[in-house]
Amino acid sequence: MAQSEKADHDSTILIVDDSVELLDLCSRFLSDHYRVQVAADGETACRIAESASPPDLILLDVMMP
C-alpha cells in the first residue's frame, strides 16, 4: 500500500443528509479511502462533530429540516 493511501484512511469524513439513499451512496463511494461516519439529522451530526475525535471533513446537506 502506498503511503498516500495509508494517510487517506487516517482521515474521517462525516456525511450529514436526511436522505438515507444519499448517505448510503456517499458512504459506499468514500469508504474505500476514508473512514466515514453518517448522520441523518443535525443533532446526531453535532454530537459526532463535538466528540473527542471529530471528523476531518463534514459534507453537509444545507436544505435539511
Side-chain angles (χ1 to χ4, degrees):
M1 178 182 299
Q3 181 64 28
S4 63
E5 290 177 23
K6 184 176 183 190
D8 286 347
H9 284 287
D10 291 339
S11 299
T12 302
I13 298 175
L14 170 60
I15 307 168
V16 185
D17 200 296
D18 54 343
S19 166
V20 176
E21 295 84 8
L22 188 58
L23 286 175
D24 183 53
L25 176 69
C26 290
S27 64
R28 282 189 287 131
F29 180 75
L30 294 169
S31 64
D32 287 342
H33 300 285
Y34 304 97
R35 279 181 280 168
V36 176
Q37 296 178 296
V38 296
D41 58 71
E43 183 178 319
T44 303
C46 286
R47 192 169 46 250
I48 293 170
E50 295 171 342
S51 70
S53 54
D56 298 294
L57 175 70
I58 299 174
L59 301 177
L60 178 63
D61 176 2
V62 295
M63 298 296 287
M64 287 179 54

